[in-house]
Amino acid sequence: MKQLLIVTRKLYKMNFYRAILSALWLIFPLEFVGVSFHIIFETCFHRNGILEVIWDLHTNLPGFNSISYLLKSTNDLTFITISLLLAFFTAENLFELRAKLSHEHLAGITSLFIYFLLIVETAPNLDLPQITDVAGNLLIPILIGLFTGYGYSFLAKRSSLKLTVTYWATTHLIVIFSLLIILIGGISFTVYQTQLFPNYISQQVQNFLQTGNHPTFWKITFATLLSNFGHFFGIINDFTTTIGNHFSSETANLTYLAQHHNLWNIPYPITLHSLYDSYGALGGNGMLLALAGAILLRVKNQRARLVASLSITQTVFDQSEALMFGIPILFNPLFLIPFLVAPFVSMSIGYLAIITHLVPAAAYVIPYATPSILRAFLGTNGNFGALFVSLIGLILSSLIYYPFVSLIDQLPERNGDESHA
Amino acid sequence: MLKWIRPLILFVLLGFMAVFGLQWTHQNMRNAIPSANSRVSPIILVPGSSATQERFDAMVNELNGKTKTSSSLLKVTVHTDNHLSYSGTFQPGKSHPYIVIAFQNNHDGYSNIKKQAKWFSHAMTILSAKYRFNHFSAIGHSNGGLVLTRYLEKYFNQQKMRINTLMTIASPYNFSETNIDKRTQMLTDLIKDNSKIPTNLVMYSVAGTENYNNDGTVPFASVEAGKYIFQKRAKNYTQITVTGEDTTHHDLPQNGEIVSLIQQYVLNISSTKQKPDINVQH
């Protein structure tokens, strides 16, 4: 614990980390709004979203499709904007911290430009959902921002020239941007030729995990661990869902259920749906609902409390991105351990409860965007034991987060303006 | 005060979602259609009024002779107290086992047809579970066709059961009424509820004519009234008129042409040799 705190404190003093933190904090409001609208879209305007099915909105609401389309594109654009801003602010902040210059946006603009070109050109297709998919990987804008920031501050120190929008900057910028366009064009060309799209690695891991016919507990655990690890570093993925869809066990379960309507004897009780979705992802990856609760109970830090109380409603609907930005949890060494351990513990409890036949496995089809705490309950066709097991998983996860959360108060107090000093 | 409003709203919303989401989940699963057809697909035969379970013996014999198979014939009578009595055999291995479902109370009349449809549904529930089938074809003679139609509209659960082909032979959809403009209560009811008829149903209505008006018992116009129930509702509705020898109402099931029609349209075994001389009206 002590070690962890020391490491985190050291990290908090480093320029690159401060640049990331203040970028995340600046973007938090936009992320919060984006996520709120995303929840409205998923619950009400996504086919089979939970409120959509309750009120049968697609037949009862005139203009359902148009609103749905509008919301979907707004959401996509918001999330693209967020990652663009992340690229901009990371570079800008780092440059300002290192070169002690402010109000010069060269680094930010260059980083934004590189990132935008890159995601659009390396998306498998030039359409909005595909680009959004690529933009979901938040590690890339941060890395690009950091590189650009370092590059410019290096230039600024070496050339002893004022990097301002002056004659120098104008002439050099023409060269820099031309070179960048060629460079990124080259990268994109290679990506297309080799088919090494940004999601290549995750696809390979998926293929590896998809061997065999039916997922085992350890395979699910491993997939969850990898997925959460990636999530922690900003690689927001739907990897576990994709893997889950691959296995035929869920289809086999549904076929059985359609005929017999008996949850206790389904052929494959252990699936990603019955373990991970029902017990391992309460509040999105890493059981963040537990974290939000723990913060509200324990932490005195005003900012953390504000963020947690704002985003706990979103976390109930599994949208924890605002929390990840605001606390932040992304790249925060304090939370890496519980972020990986809590889902594992909760899933193990679910696993034990299922194999000992205390609760049936959640195999029913549930509405889209069902709040996480209700997923096991609905998936078992209203088994209160399953609801109880999810609550136990949640409480245990809060206990796991608890000691780590209390360290927040011992971190140096900081605010958004600090980096501009 | 304000501090409590948000958690309260959240909990109410969660409770709301739990209750109604559960309802949807439940409904969704109940509507899930078993993806596989059972291997066994029997042909259900329903006799008309005053007829017993032996009604189709001659017809099945003739069909077995024509198709050179020996499909099994099970005869079931539903008694008024809902218990079933069996005779004959059911052999699932044979291509199309026949099941006759007859009624102890086999009187005519709309009120009795309603009762028979209910008995029929009861028998289907038991038989489908006992002999493990989830799809079937049906042939109804005379009032038997009315029972089947009412069963499809009132009791048939498309999620659990599928019907491939329905053939009614001389079924008086408008009873003995010869004027189509005078709809009996039964026809009105059947037309009113026709939205429940499966849209994938392939339907044949066969009429026999001894003279230009009827088959000696059932008016042609009454058989023709079936179009108001099935047309534009079922996937296919075909009306077929058979004339010539053995076309009196009671001979129709064993009429050679009708046996050929059953072979062709219900069993889907087309005979290459003998083509029936028929007049097909769409």
Side-chain angles (χ1 to χ4, degrees):
Chain A
M1 279 306 167
K2 194 119 184 127
Q3 286 292 318
L4 196 64
L5 197 63
I6 292 167
V7 170
T8 315
R9 273 186 180 145
K10 259 191 192 148
L11 208 57
Y12 265 66
K13 288 196 182 101
M14 294 174 93
N15 280 337
F16 85 93
Y17 198 70
R18 284 169 64 190
I20 296 174
L21 288 185
S22 56
L24 289 176
W25 180 237
L26 275 170
I27 298 167
F28 169 74
L30 184 59
E31 179 74 31
F32 180 78
V33 174
V35 169
S36 301
F37 277 96
H38 189 61
I39 290 173
I40 294 175
F41 167 72
E42 289 207 318
T43 52
C44 302
F45 293 97
H46 193 289
R47 275 308 290 272
N48 290 343
I50 181 150
L51 293 175
E52 195 271 319
V53 299
I54 288 175
W55 287 311
D56 202 11
L57 287 177
H58 76 272
T59 46
N60 292 337
L61 190 76
F64 174 84
N65 284 330
S66 319
I67 300 175
S68 167
Y69 180 76
L70 186 68
L71 258 179
K72 173 83 180 113
S73 15
T74 312
N75 282 331
D76 283 356
L77 287 170
T78 313
F79 291 121
I80 292 177
T81 312
I82 284 168
S83 52
L84 289 175
L85 287 178
L86 204 54
F88 180 84
F89 281 123
T90 316
E92 171 110 338
N93 290 338
L94 187 65
F95 177 67
E96 286 178 355
L97 279 169
R98 284 175 60 87
K100 306 276 183 275
L101 284 169
S102 58
H103 306 298
E104 296 302 337
H105 306 298
L106 287 180
I109 290 167
T110 315
S111 164
L112 178 82
F113 175 71
I114 296 176
Y115 178 66
F116 190 52
L117 273 193
L118 203 64
I119 56 165
V120 174
E121 287 187 6
T122 57
N125 258 317
L126 205 60
D127 62 3
L128 201 53
Q130 296 271 16
I131 297 172
T132 319
D133 216 31
V134 180
N137 188 338
L138 297 178
L139 189 60
I140 300 178
I142 288 175
L143 285 182
I144 289 177
L146 290 182
F147 278 124
T148 322
Y150 273 120
Y152 269 97
S153 51
F154 182 73
L155 266 182
K157 276 181 189 158
R158 274 286 299 274
S159 59
S160 73
L161 279 165
K162 285 266 179 234
L163 272 187
T164 52
V165 190
T166 56
Y167 179 74
W168 180 91
T170 315
T171 48
H172 282 69
L173 278 181
I174 291 171
V175 179
I176 290 174
F177 280 113
S178 311
L179 283 177
L180 281 174
I181 288 177
I182 295 168
L183 180 71
I184 295 166
I187 293 174
S188 311
F189 185 73
T190 329
V191 164
Y192 275 112
Q193 288 302 312
T194 53
Q195 296 285 308
L196 288 168
F197 291 112
N199 51 3
Y200 177 76
I201 296 173
S202 73
Q203 272 173 7
Q204 288 308 304
V205 181
Q206 263 172 41
N207 291 343
F208 167 71
L209 282 170
Q210 282 167 355
T211 47
N213 289 324
H214 306 293
T216 58
F217 175 65
W218 292 110
K219 208 179 252 181
I220 294 171
T221 314
F222 185 62
T224 312
L225 199 72
L226 272 180
S227 162
N228 285 345
F229 195 72
H231 205 91
F232 183 82
F233 287 101
I235 307 167
I236 292 167
N237 51 64
D238 54 354
F239 180 103
T240 31
T241 333
T242 335
I243 292 177
N245 292 340
H246 172 82
F247 291 110
S248 53
S249 347
E250 271 159 39
T251 327
N253 285 345
L254 283 177
T255 314
Y256 177 87
L257 279 174
Q259 282 172 338
H260 299 93
H261 297 275
N262 182 353
L263 273 166
W264 295 95
N265 294 326
I266 56 169
Y268 306 104
I270 303 302
T271 63
L272 269 155
H273 181 53
S274 71
L275 275 191
Y276 175 70
D277 289 342
S278 306
Y279 301 112
L282 305 182
N285 287 28
M287 305 284 293
L288 287 186
L289 189 56
L291 174 67
I295 288 177
L296 285 183
L297 284 180
R298 174 68 193 251
V299 173
K300 291 188 191 67
N301 182 318
Q302 282 303 306
R303 221 190 86 180
R305 285 192 74 86
L306 173 72
V307 171
S309 74
L310 274 177
S311 48
I312 194 161
T313 320
Q314 301 183 340
T315 327
V316 168
F317 287 92
D318 286 340
Q319 301 294 329
S320 52
E321 272 74 16
L323 198 63
M324 307 253 334
F325 271 61
I327 298 295
I329 295 156
L330 283 171
F331 312 104
N332 195 334
L334 280 187
F335 296 117
L336 180 60
I337 298 167
F339 195 81
L340 299 181
V341 172
F344 172 70
V345 171
S346 183
M347 273 162 64
S348 306
I349 291 168
Y351 177 70
L352 289 177
I354 290 172
I355 59 164
T356 53
H357 282 271
L358 279 174
V359 298
Y364 269 49
V365 177
I366 54 173
Y368 192 77
T370 301
S372 45
I373 198 78
L374 294 176
R375 274 199 297 251
F377 180 66
L378 292 189
T380 52
N381 197 16
N383 185 304
F384 281 95
L387 182 64
F388 188 65
V389 172
S390 357
L391 284 175
I392 290 184
L394 189 65
I395 290 166
L396 271 181
S397 304
S398 306
L399 289 180
I400 294 168
Y401 270 113
Y402 205 72
F404 296 93
V405 159
S406 57
L407 296 181
I408 293 181
D409 284 332
Q410 298 179 40
L411 285 176
E413 190 73 39
R414 61 186 176 81
N415 52 52
D417 297 328
E418 196 185 24
S419 60
H420 291 276
Chain B
M1 186 58 201
L2 253 169
K3 211 175 142 191
W4 287 104
I5 279 181
R6 212 166 58 119
L8 193 72
I9 292 175
L10 197 60
F11 271 105
V12 170
L13 190 65
L14 273 181
F16 175 78
M17 283 178 170
V19 173
F20 289 93
L22 191 62
Q23 210 174 19
W24 182 84
T25 312
H26 200 73
Q27 194 66 34
N28 188 46
M29 212 56 220
R30 236 191 10 224
N31 291 350
I33 300 168
S35 51
N37 275 338
S38 58
R39 207 165 45 82
V40 186
S41 171
I43 292 170
I44 310 283
L45 307 168
V46 186
S49 59
S50 315
T52 62
Q53 57 178 18
E54 273 74 36
R55 185 73 183 85
F56 293 99
D57 288 6
M59 185 190 98
V60 170
N61 270 338
E62 210 160 317
L63 271 171
N64 277 343
K66 274 201 170 184
T67 56
K68 298 189 175 59
T69 53
S70 54
S71 296
S72 63
L73 173 62
L74 176 75
K75 293 179 267 190
V76 180
T77 298
V78 193
H79 294 260
T80 45
D81 60 355
N82 266 345
H83 96 265
L84 308 182
S85 62
Y86 301 82
S87 75
T89 52
F90 182 89
Q91 287 174 285
K94 304 293 179 192
S95 53
H96 284 290
Y98 296 98
I99 303 177
V100 176
I101 298 179
F103 309 99
Q104 186 195 20
N105 171 358
N106 55 8
H107 302 306
D108 199 2
Y110 185 33
S111 64
N112 214 45
I113 285 169
K114 284 185 189 167
K115 284 185 203 158
Q116 287 170 345
K118 201 169 181 185
W119 286 321
F120 179 81
S121 161
H122 170 72
M124 282 299 280
T125 314
I126 291 177
L127 294 172
S128 63
K130 188 169 176 181
Y131 299 114
R132 296 177 187 282
F133 61 88
N134 63 11
H135 61 141
F136 65 97
S137 294
I139 300 172
H141 176 231
S142 188
N143 279 7
L146 305 177
V147 171
L148 281 167
T149 309
R150 187 168 166 92
Y151 164 73
L152 287 182
E153 292 187 354
K154 290 281 179 192
Y155 305 101
F156 185 65
N157 181 350
Q158 291 189 51
Q159 273 71 48
K160 286 192 172 158
M161 196 71 95
R162 254 168 292 176
I163 177 163
N164 306 322
T165 311
L166 170 67
M167 181 180 275
T168 61
I169 302 168
S171 292
Y173 291 101
N174 208 12
F175 279 137
S176 54
E177 191 56 61
T178 46
N179 184 353
I180 195 60
D181 294 328
K182 287 184 184 162
R183 291 185 183 178
T184 57
Q185 183 60 42
M186 181 181 69
L187 181 63
T188 316
D189 288 354
L190 287 178
I191 293 172
K192 195 181 76 196
D193 287 330
N194 78 346
S195 60
K196 307 270 177 55
I197 289 172
T199 46
N200 57 356
L201 174 72
V202 177
M203 160 76 187
Y204 297 95
S205 172
V206 182
T209 47
E210 221 182 12
N211 50 42
Y212 290 116
N213 294 323
N214 57 44
D215 58 10
T217 310
V218 169
F220 178 70
S222 177
V223 177
E224 205 190 4
K227 69 182 175 192
Y228 296 109
I229 305 169
F230 292 98
Q231 230 171 37
K232 289 186 181 158
R233 182 62 211 166
K235 186 174 154 202
N236 280 323
Y237 171 74
T238 310
Q239 202 199 297
I240 303 167
T241 310
V242 181
T243 58
E245 258 180 61
D246 287 341
T247 47
T248 60
H249 187 68
H250 296 282
D251 287 336
L252 282 173
Q254 54 268 28
N255 173 297
E257 289 176 14
I258 291 182
V259 170
S260 299
L261 288 173
I262 293 173
Q263 182 192 344
Q264 190 179 346
Y265 294 122
V266 183
L267 303 183
N268 292 320
I269 308 168
S270 59
S271 68
T272 43
K273 300 176 268 176
Q274 188 190 359
K275 285 273 177 187
D277 174 27
I278 48 164
N279 161 27
V280 179
Q281 291 186 336
H282 281 275

